[in-house]
Amino acid sequence: MNIGEIARRAGVSRSTVSYALSGKRPVAPSTRRRIQDVITELGYRPNAAARALKEGRTRTIGLVIPPAGNRLTHMQLDFVASVVDAAARADLDVLLSPSGGDHDRSFERLVSESRVDGVILMEIRLEDPRVGRLREAGLPFVGIGHTTRDHRMSWIDVDYAGLVQHCVRHLADLGHRRVALVTRSPELISAGYGPAHRAREGFEAAVAERGLDGVEVPCGDDARSGQERVEALLRSHPDVTAITTINEAALPGVQRALTDAGLTVPYDFSITGVAARTWAEDFRPPLTAADVPAMEMGENAVSLLVERIAAPQTPPRHILLAPPISLRSSTAAVPTGGPPRPNHAAVRR
């Protein structure tokens, strides 16, 4: 079924049907209703490519995800799902495109071949060449995370520095004097992954503020790495009594390492951090954590991007989320007879 057949049945010209569909010129309400009745009766759907040519838009947005070889965390999957749902409500399709490593060609095709009207960019680095490439191409985009100095981009992010600082303060209030930050992989940290660097800033600030002894533990995004890194931590720093983390995917391994060491959470050892609610509630006992609102972030990212597409010249918007820490069951007062308070603050890496 095509526009010509709709025009014939509605008794109007092809151009009138086109104007009614595109909204480029006014059409009398009675005529629009007649056209819509025919469309509804026939179940007509305009061809996406033809519509894009006429509107100058694809009605598709790109979502740039981490490399396909990496397993996405629950938080990342929730975010992807929320972007797809929010885009569908706005009558937009979503094209997933990995970037990083061998996938840079996919990102370049997304930018250079007019496949999408705008892009949502995940896994932002402190210095991220993809941001410059998108700006050079004149393609509207929104970041999940933000670079160090670029205030010209719209973004939504989690306040990892502030949240980790609050987590450490919570542990200090419970009497823990030697704490560890289980962060992300050494590769991500060296690449300038924003959340890992901002978590470090918050950790170091809280350790200095409360006069604690702290150690940073880089860790891969999987259970095995979590287990191996915490086993090594307990061997090298047996005086550590608590962990805060931003690495939710490592949590099952962290739990196994503590169990194998004969440590019971929270009576012998406390854990807190920043994680998706699914991971926090599945932890045993349930994890005291700042629950990252991944669904809300996805919805806000789509809204920001639609704004950028509709009005590219408007000032960029920045949304920094600081969800409250949900007190569950994984933290408690430091064990009786725990290590004495150090007389100086230090962070070891």
Side-chain angles (χ1 to χ4, degrees):
M1 191 57 57
N2 56 40
I3 287 179
E5 181 62 18
I6 294 171
R8 186 184 68 79
R9 295 197 182 201
V12 298
S13 68
R14 290 172 59 95
S15 60
T16 300
V17 175
S18 178
Y19 295 147
L21 290 173
S22 67
K24 289 186 176 180
R25 291 190 183 179
V27 175
S30 59
T31 302
R32 183 182 296 276
R33 282 195 298 270
R34 193 159 70 248
I35 293 170
Q36 186 59 54
D37 288 343
V38 173
I39 289 173
T40 301
E41 177 187 352
L42 299 178
Y44 171 77
R45 293 291 183 274
N47 177 271
R51 182 174 62 182
L53 287 173
K54 285 190 174 292
E55 296 180 357
R57 293 177 54 190
T58 66
R59 298 205 65 80
T60 301
I61 61 174
L63 177 58
V64 180
I65 61 175
N70 295 353
R71 184 170 53 188
L72 298 182
T73 68
H74 273 270
M75 188 189 305
Q76 292 168 331
L77 289 172
D78 284 347
F79 175 76
V80 171
S82 67
V83 166
V84 172
D85 287 345
R89 290 194 296 273
D91 193 26
L92 298 170
D93 295 325
V94 178
L95 176 61
L96 297 182
S97 175
S99 76
D102 296 332
H103 298 283
D104 287 338
R105 286 178 296 177
S106 174
F107 173 72
E108 183 57 33
R109 286 195 298 270
L110 186 76
V111 174
S112 62
E113 296 182 5
S114 301
R115 296 184 174 190
V116 296
D117 298 321
V119 170
I120 296 174
L121 190 63
M122 295 176 63
E123 300 275 329
I124 298 285
R125 274 48 170 173
L126 297 178
E127 303 289 340
D128 201 315
R130 298 173 301 173
V131 170
R133 181 67 185 95
L134 287 166
R135 180 170 291 110
E136 174 189 311
L139 192 61
F141 70 98
V142 170
I144 305 305
H146 59 289
T147 57
T148 301
R149 292 182 294 272
D150 197 331
H151 302 294
R152 296 176 294 164
M153 63 180 285
S154 288
W155 52 261
I156 180 168
D157 204 354
V158 172
D159 183 11
Y160 282 96
L163 292 176
V164 168
Q165 195 167 5
H166 285 310
C167 287
V168 174
R169 287 170 178 164
H170 171 63
L171 295 173
D173 290 342
L174 292 171
H176 295 276
R177 313 314 304 169
R178 292 178 169 85
V179 299
L181 169 66
V182 175
T183 183
R184 303 292 292 275
S185 71
E187 294 78 16
L188 275 177
I189 295 171
S190 63
Y193 180 58
H197 285 264
R198 294 184 178 104
R200 172 190 289 168
E201 292 171 6
F203 184 71
E204 292 179 345
V207 163
E209 173 190 295
R210 294 300 185 94
L212 309 181
D213 190 9
V215 55
E216 182 180 342
V217 182
C219 179
D221 296 341
D222 59 88
R224 179 176 179 179
S225 294
Q227 181 171 359
E228 291 175 349
R229 296 301 293 139
V230 171
E231 286 174 348
L233 170 70
L234 295 176
R235 287 194 299 270
S236 60
H237 299 88
D239 52 353
V240 168
T241 60
I243 283 173
T244 187
T245 184
I246 60 166
N247 192 332
E248 58 178 26
L251 281 171
V254 172
Q255 191 161 35
R256 284 200 294 270
L258 294 174
T259 299
D260 290 348
L263 298 173
T264 302
V265 177
Y267 306 108
D268 303 317
F269 203 96
S270 289
I271 307 178
T272 184
V274 183
R277 179 174 295 179
T278 301
W279 284 103
E281 293 180 345
D282 284 349
F283 196 80
R284 290 293 176 267
L287 186 71
T288 291
D291 301 333
V292 175
M295 302 299 286
E296 178 186 345
M297 291 180 71
E299 294 173 358
N300 283 332
V302 172
S303 295
L304 285 176
L305 184 57
V306 169
E307 289 179 9
R308 302 304 298 167
I309 293 170
Q313 302 307 317
T314 56
R317 292 179 56 197
H318 304 149
I319 300 175
L320 187 63
L321 301 176
I325 295 176
S326 298
L327 296 176
R328 298 188 176 97
S329 309
S330 65
T331 54
V334 70
T336 303
R341 177 174 177 171
N343 57 15
H344 66 280
V347 174
R348 301 189 295 270
R349 296 176 189 158

